[in-house]
Amino acid sequence: MAKQKEQITMSRAFLEGLARIFDPFSSLDSGPYSGPRKKTDTEMLRSDWNAIGRDMQKAFDSMGQKDKENAVR
C-alpha cells in the first residue's frame, strides 16, 4: 500500500514538473510557493543565507564554548 502511494505521488510530481516545461509564464500556480504573495528569488535567497548564517554562528559559538571548557581543565 505504501509503495503504491509513493508511486502515485512520484507520478504526479513528474507530471507537474513536465507541465511546468510548457508553462513559461507560470500560469500553473498550484505549488508550495503559491499563495496571496509569492516571495521573489532575491527574498528567498536572502532568507536561506540568513538561516545559514544563524546556523554557522551557533556552530562557532558552540566551538568557542568547548574551547573555553577545555582551557579551564
Side-chain angles (χ1 to χ4, degrees):
M1 181 71 177
K3 187 171 185 168
Q4 184 180 15
K5 186 175 182 179
E6 182 179 340
Q7 283 182 325
I8 291 170
T9 303
M10 288 174 47
S11 297
R12 182 175 180 200
F14 175 76
L15 291 174
E16 286 178 0
L18 189 60
R20 293 287 179 184
I21 292 172
F22 301 104
D23 184 31
F25 300 108
S26 297
S27 60
L28 299 173
D29 287 335
S30 63
Y33 300 112
S34 64
R37 179 189 174 276
K38 293 183 182 180
K39 286 186 174 182
T40 64
D41 288 341
T42 303
E43 290 170 327
M44 288 189 290
L45 280 170
R46 182 180 293 123
S47 174
D48 291 345
W49 279 110
N50 283 336
I52 290 169
R54 285 190 303 270
D55 291 345
M56 290 184 71
Q57 186 63 50
K58 287 179 188 176
F60 290 143
D61 290 346
S62 174
M63 289 171 49
Q65 185 64 28
K66 287 180 183 177
D67 287 342
K68 287 179 185 177
E69 289 173 3
N70 289 338
V72 172
R73 292 181 189 174

